[in-house]
Amino acid sequence: MTFLPMAASGGEVPVVEPIAATGAFSLMWLLIALPLAGAVVLLLGGRATDRWGHLLGTATSFASFGLGVYLFVEMLGLGEEERQHGLRLFDWITAGSFTVGFDLLLDPLSILFVLLITGVGSLIHLYSIGYMAHDERRRRFFAYLNLFVAAMLMLVLAGDFLGVFLGWEGVGLASYLLIGFWQHKPSAAAAAKKAFVINRVGDMGLSLAIMLMFVTFGTSSFAGVSAVAGEASETTLTIIGLLLLLGACGKSAQVPLQAWLLDAMEGPTPVSALIHAATMVTAGVYLVVRANFIFENAPVAQTVVVVVACVTLIWGAVIGCARDDIKKVLAGSTMSQIGYMMLGAGLGVAGYAYAIFHLITHGFFKANMFLGAGSVMHGMDDEVDMRRYGALRRAMPVTFITFGLGYLAIIGFPFFSGFFSKDRIIETALLENPVAGVAALIGAGVTGFYMTRLMLMTYFTNKRWAEQAHPHESPAVMTVPLVVLATLSVVGGVLILGDWIKYWLAPVVGEAEEHSTPVPPIVFSIVITVVVAIGVALAVFLVGRRDVPREAPSDVSPLTRAARADLYGDAINEGLVVGPGRVLVESVTVTDAKVVDGLVEGTSYGIGGLSGRLRRFQNGFVRSYAAAVLLGVLLVVGALLVVTLA
């Protein structure tokens, strides 16, 4: 059985037709402006804002969340056809008759992202007050957090692909500033640079896709492109789709542009939570789902999305099985879970809603676990190696319970949020593309293994603390966000009740036709749960029933060695991109130095040498000039004699 191009899964592709925003919806620009204003004040205010900067940064994020909730409630009271609101702030680019407006779009898809970004982002801000309490640059850190939130809101609220690109680049800048926030550490500076450079590769894909849209459709607005996308050739749409996917791979750390994600853990832990749960890595999923009118008309590109997703969800899960750094295990987990979301998006109309559903629930439990990891580090003197943990459940009971609830959600324990969201993607994949479904099912089993391994090595097994370590629970300003996120990790599955999220997103992504299935849904759930249970049991047998050594054993299998090296992602990039690129640059340098410079400088030296020799005849002595004239006369007379005698 092989991957084959898939047709759309039934249903029509919706056309984006926003109505002019009025009333409360005309305030949507404030969603971006509030955190952006906070960033500006904190960056330009300087040391004068040090004492209260963290409070201002947190307040602006919560204010944006409050406005988002208000707009969401307003939207709930509208009919399905009235839930897409467009707002033009000003004409952005004008060239003759061609105009690009600075347009915002608030619809059922973007409002869900607004709530996730501002809601989870605000909790991360609150947590950071305690986590960064002793950092002398805390005010600047909160400015960067505000900038990150504002850029991501710009990305999801833009009504035009060009506006998306503006937010896209803003997210890239903010991630660079936050990953490298502790730039005094060479590893942090290198990680920030690596993330920035790899993401520029993906950004080239997005920028080229937008250019091709301009050439093909004469516009890059969602409304304009969606209205005429079906009229373009499949080849053109496939190229646009693949370029958009390249951009998505960069931001969402999908193979082959995944190598930056684990290094990004060098930033403060709240940064990791923000990147992985609410902002950066979700951008790629948003882009594919938002561009559904492109992918639904380009089945080859849609299939490539599925292939990339399946490879990535297995890739990240395998990495999580062998890493000992708690944050890097969670980073590998994010790579894998984003793969599930991309898989849902690649399945077309049948999977778009479930991709977004899992994105939201993942935002809850992954933010919970990253902040939980930060709480563990806070109580363990910033130790990240799980081999130096063990038996922390009694020393840090709140962190343990909240983290444990996130663990149950991510492995898909029955009736927790991940059980509803991830299982729906696996079920849909098994029905739409069995090969992808089997890959997703295997990934679920591996997820059960590596997450159980993390829980056992951190909170159970033998105590392996350093003598100077005194683990303790974090302050309330850090544990309250954990409690809220843990609660959401448990109850987040309510979004699937009555297939609410499918109907909510239908105006944006379409609604799949209902097909009878040969297998009852309960059977899928049982099979998936059994596979996860096998992974959990293996972890208990291999890790939980043995003493964990404080040093990682060196006599390991080649697969374990490869997983510890992130499946040689850096080596692959070095061999395929960095190495050849370096050779190309060195070749160009040599050609420039030896050939181009040699030609220019050689000509200069030649003319200079010839001039030096001619200069000897211009010595200023009359006798030399007379001798030269006499020699010339003799040569002319001699030539005449030769001609005459001949």
Side-chain angles (χ1 to χ4, degrees):
M1 192 174 294
T2 58
F3 284 105
L4 296 173
M6 299 176 301
S9 305
E12 295 183 358
V13 180
V15 175
V16 180
E17 295 180 348
I19 59 177
T22 58
F25 295 104
S26 63
L27 300 176
M28 69 176 78
W29 62 275
L30 281 173
L31 292 167
I32 304 170
L34 286 168
L36 183 60
V40 170
V41 170
L42 295 180
L43 289 174
L44 298 184
R47 296 183 182 278
T49 63
D50 279 352
R51 294 182 60 185
W52 44 267
H54 56 290
L55 300 178
L56 175 65
T58 304
T60 56
S61 184
F62 270 105
S64 187
F65 173 64
L67 178 57
V69 171
Y70 173 63
L71 294 177
F72 176 65
V73 173
E74 287 288 307
M75 192 176 289
L76 284 174
L78 299 176
E80 182 178 300
E81 68 284 352
E82 299 174 321
R83 290 176 179 164
Q84 301 194 58
H85 299 269
L87 178 65
R88 172 160 293 190
L89 297 180
F90 52 84
D91 289 340
W92 187 9
I93 300 173
T94 301
S97 60
F98 179 74
T99 301
V100 177
F102 199 94
D103 297 334
L104 300 182
L105 173 67
L106 191 68
D107 64 3
L109 176 61
S110 57
I111 192 63
L112 291 181
F113 273 88
V114 165
L115 295 176
L116 177 68
I117 295 164
T118 58
V120 174
S122 295
L123 291 172
I124 292 171
H125 276 72
L126 180 63
Y127 176 96
S128 299
I129 293 176
Y131 191 87
M132 302 294 289
H134 303 295
D135 196 299
E136 60 182 15
R137 299 170 66 237
R138 180 169 66 168
R139 180 258 311 168
R140 185 179 293 271
F141 179 79
F142 275 84
Y144 293 160
L145 286 184
N146 269 192
L147 180 62
F148 210 156
V149 169
M152 189 66 189
L153 287 170
M154 177 66 225
L155 193 158
V156 300
L157 285 170
D160 188 291
F161 282 102
L162 205 57
V164 169
F165 190 74
L166 176 63
W168 198 268
E169 293 305 299
V171 168
L173 170 63
S175 66
Y176 172 78
L177 295 172
L178 285 167
I179 293 170
F181 184 75
W182 288 327
Q183 67 264 33
H184 60 276
K185 297 166 54 180
S187 57
K193 182 173 67 175
K194 183 177 182 179
F196 190 82
V197 171
I198 291 180
N199 270 274
R200 297 293 72 74
V201 176
D203 294 355
M204 285 299 297
L206 178 56
S207 61
L208 289 172
I210 295 172
M211 294 177 196
L212 189 52
M213 288 180 200
F214 275 123
V215 173
T216 306
F217 307 114
T219 180
S220 62
S221 70
F222 299 151
V225 175
S226 64
V228 297
E231 301 173 10
S233 70
E234 186 174 312
T235 300
T236 299
L237 292 173
T238 297
I239 295 172
I240 293 175
L242 292 176
L243 290 171
L244 291 174
L245 175 60
L246 180 62
C249 285
K251 276 291 182 288
S252 293
Q254 300 292 281
V255 174
L257 300 179
Q258 82 291 349
W260 66 270
L261 190 63
L262 272 74
D263 295 77
M265 297 304 97
E266 290 292 337
T269 300
V271 175
S272 303
L274 194 59
I275 288 176
H276 289 248
T279 56
M280 190 166 179
V281 296
T282 64
V285 181
Y286 170 80
L287 180 65
V288 174
V289 174
R290 174 61 77 185
N292 62 85
F293 41 81
I294 296 292
F295 288 96
E296 287 297 316
N297 290 290
V300 173
Q302 201 172 56
T303 300
V304 176
V305 173
V306 171
V307 174
V308 168
C310 290
V311 171
T312 305
L313 71 88
I314 296 294
W315 192 294
V318 170
I319 289 174
C321 292
R323 279 291 194 165
D324 295 326
D325 183 322
I326 187 171
K327 290 174 66 177
K328 291 190 176 182
V329 172
L330 292 175
S333 168
T334 297
M335 187 190 307
S336 179
Q337 296 302 307
I338 297 293
Y340 277 102
M341 301 169 207
M342 293 293 284
L343 173 58
L347 294 173
V349 179
Y352 290 133
Y354 298 140
I356 299 302
F357 181 29
H358 191 52
L359 185 149
I360 293 171
T361 61
H362 175 265
F364 298 152
F365 56 69
K366 186 53 62 69
N368 172 31
M369 287 189 289
F370 260 114
L371 297 184
S375 181
V376 171
M377 293 166 58
H378 178 81
M380 291 291 289
D381 299 325
D382 289 329
E383 178 62 69
V384 296
D385 191 344
M386 296 186 298
R387 293 185 180 277
R388 303 290 193 274
Y389 293 164
L392 288 177
R393 64 188 183 280
R394 293 189 178 88
M396 310 180 72
V398 177
T399 300
F400 164 64
I401 293 172
T402 54
F403 197 105
L405 294 174
Y407 155 75
L408 293 174
I410 193 174
I411 68 171
F413 192 83
F415 309 114
F416 282 65
S417 59
F419 170 78
F420 295 103
S421 60
K422 187 171 66 176
D423 282 19
R424 285 300 179 95
I425 293 176
I426 298 173
E427 292 171 19
T428 304
L430 287 168
L431 293 171
E432 297 287 325
N433 189 319
V435 175
V438 171
L441 188 61
I442 293 172
V446 181
T447 300
F449 176 84
Y450 72 75
M451 285 306 305
T452 303
R453 173 179 179 267
L454 182 152
M455 284 295 294
L456 292 172
M457 292 180 68
T458 302
Y459 298 104
F460 296 91
T461 61
N462 51 310
K463 185 173 72 175
R464 303 177 300 279
W465 314 335
E467 291 183 4
Q468 66 272 21
H470 300 286
H472 56 278
E473 189 57 88
S474 299
V477 73
M478 294 172 65
T479 55
V480 167
L482 294 180
V483 172
V484 174
L485 289 167
T487 302
L488 291 172
S489 300
V490 176
V491 304
V494 298
L495 295 177
I496 200 63
L497 294 179
D499 272 342
W500 179 87
I501 196 164
K502 286 180 60 178
Y503 296 121
W504 177 256
L505 291 174
V508 181
V509 301
E511 187 176 348
E513 297 177 359
E514 296 294 336
H515 299 289
S516 59
T517 60
V519 181
I522 187 65
V523 174
F524 286 116
S525 296
I526 292 173
V527 170
I528 297 169
T529 302
V530 168
V531 171
V532 171
I534 292 172
V536 171
L538 283 173
V540 171
F541 178 75
L542 296 175
V543 179
R545 300 181 63 182
R546 305 177 183 181
D547 286 341
V548 177
R550 297 187 80 248
E551 300 296 333
S554 56
D555 55 335
V556 295
S557 67
L559 179 58
T560 302
R561 194 175 299 113
R564 288 179 181 174
D566 303 336
L567 296 183
Y568 305 114
D570 286 332
I572 293 172
N573 288 341
E574 176 72 27
L576 296 180
V577 180
V578 179
R582 186 183 298 113
V583 171
L584 176 62
V585 171
E586 291 174 350
S587 300
V588 171
T589 303
V590 171
T591 301
D592 180 67
K594 301 298 183 181
V595 179
V596 178
D597 289 351
L599 180 62
V600 174
E601 294 174 1
T603 302
S604 172
Y605 292 145
I607 293 175
L610 179 61
S611 300
R613 287 172 174 76
L614 292 175
R615 191 181 299 117
R616 296 175 182 176
F617 294 100
Q618 303 292 325
N619 54 20
F621 295 111
V622 175
R623 61 179 180 273
S624 297
Y625 298 157
V629 171
L630 178 61
L631 178 61
V633 170
L634 292 176
L635 289 173
V636 171
V637 171
L640 291 173
L641 289 174
V642 171
V643 172
T644 302
L645 293 175

